[in-house]
Amino acid sequence: TTMAMLGVDVTPIFALIGGASFILAFAFQDTLGNFASGLMIMFNQPFDEGDVVELDGVVGKVEALTIVATTIKTADNKVIVLPNRAVWGNLIQNMTATTTRRVDLVFGISYEDSMEDAMAIMRKVAQAHPAVLDDPDITIREHELADSSVNFFCRPWGKTVDYWNVYWDLTQQVKVAFDEAGISIPYPQSDVHVRAVPQELSNAG
């Protein structure tokens, strides 16, 4: 170069430029990643403003979407800004993408109670709720023989906007109906079995 021909040592200058380029490239790596992820989100449209979503483990309503970040508001009114790399690189759940949604409930009863009676009560209570849809049908099945209870799935369907009302109402109403029918929802419990000590060992002590 001309500077080298004039006797100027350009090595430190090139080292400085190279170092600065590396620092800039490193600094812009996340920004470029967010930019690329933002383009993918806008192109594929897995959600839109106003949708209720779960992004990177955070649940809330989408308030804004830019090329580098997504802003959501949680149910307790927190505003959270997520970089789009965290959004596009993780599981995206859109709770309002469809007009209907299945409500998943689990109820447990004592081993001494009637499974048939409990299932009939769950179905009767769910069918009586005005926001539960007739189609698809309500699914009620034995789910698990747990340590302290027999657990059941109760899965009615409702409109997406009614999801939490159905969930909360049925949780309360099934409990009340179980109480009225004498069906218990047991606490976690353990049975302790005490064995008698043989007489000869007792005398030896």
Side-chain angles (χ1 to χ4, degrees), residues 114-121 152:
S114 167
M115 293 193 300
E116 291 77 13
D117 290 349
M119 294 172 70
I121 288 171
F152 296 85

Side-chain angles (χ1 to χ4, degrees), residues 32-49 51 53-56 62 64-72 81-92 94:
L32 292 174
N34 288 327
F35 182 83
S37 297
L39 290 177
M40 293 298 293
I41 293 171
M42 291 180 177
F43 179 77
N44 289 279
Q45 296 183 324
F47 56 83
D48 202 352
E49 290 184 7
D51 286 345
V53 296
E54 180 175 347
L55 306 176
D56 196 25
V62 178
L65 172 62
T66 69
I67 199 67
V68 295
T70 300
T71 302
I72 66 175
V81 179
L82 294 171
N84 282 336
R85 284 184 69 181
V87 174
W88 187 249
N90 288 286
L91 180 69
I92 297 173
N94 190 333

Side-chain angles (χ1 to χ4, degrees), residues 2-19:
T2 304
M3 295 182 67
M5 292 174 62
L6 294 174
V8 178
D9 187 2
V10 296
T11 302
I13 298 174
F14 279 120
L16 181 62
I17 294 174

Side-chain angles (χ1 to χ4, degrees), residues 27-195:
F28 281 107
Q29 181 179 1
D30 286 344
T31 300
L32 292 174
N34 288 327
F35 182 83
S37 297
L39 290 177
M40 293 298 293
I41 293 171
M42 291 180 177
F43 179 77
N44 289 279
Q45 296 183 324
F47 56 83
D48 202 352
E49 290 184 7
D51 286 345
V52 177
V53 296
E54 180 175 347
L55 306 176
D56 196 25
V58 180
V59 179
K61 179 183 288 187
V62 178
E63 293 287 305
L65 172 62
T66 69
I67 199 67
V68 295
T70 300
T71 302
I72 66 175
K73 181 181 287 186
T74 64
D76 57 350
N77 216 30
K78 295 177 183 175
V79 175
I80 299 177
V81 179
L82 294 171
N84 282 336
R85 284 184 69 181
V87 174
W88 187 249
N90 288 286
L91 180 69
I92 297 173
Q93 293 191 57
N94 190 333
M95 282 78 160
T96 49
T98 57
T99 57
T100 60
R101 188 176 171 191
R102 191 182 71 190
V103 182
D104 289 354
L105 297 158
V106 177
F107 297 103
I109 66 170
S110 168
Y111 275 90
E112 287 74 30
D113 293 323
S114 167
M115 293 193 300
E116 291 77 13
D117 290 349
M119 294 172 70
I121 288 171
M122 285 184 277
R123 181 169 296 277
K124 180 179 179 180
V125 171
Q127 287 176 335
H129 196 288
V132 170
L133 301 176
D134 294 329
D135 185 29
D137 191 20
I138 302 164
T139 300
I140 299 174
R141 293 286 186 274
E142 300 92 337
H143 164 54
E144 180 185 23
L145 299 177
D147 292 339
S148 304
S149 62
V150 180
N151 296 332
F152 296 85
F153 278 136
C154 178
R155 293 177 168 175
W157 287 77
K159 293 181 180 178
T160 300
V161 295
D162 294 328
Y163 177 88
W164 286 111
N165 286 334
V166 172
Y167 186 98
W168 291 324
D169 288 351
L170 293 187
T171 298
Q172 177 191 22
Q173 292 168 10
V174 168
K175 171 64 167 66
V176 171
F178 277 0
D179 289 345
E180 292 174 349
I183 294 175
S184 61
I185 299 177
Y187 296 102
Q189 53 190 293
S190 299
D191 291 333
V192 178
H193 299 272
V194 179
R195 294 188 177 186

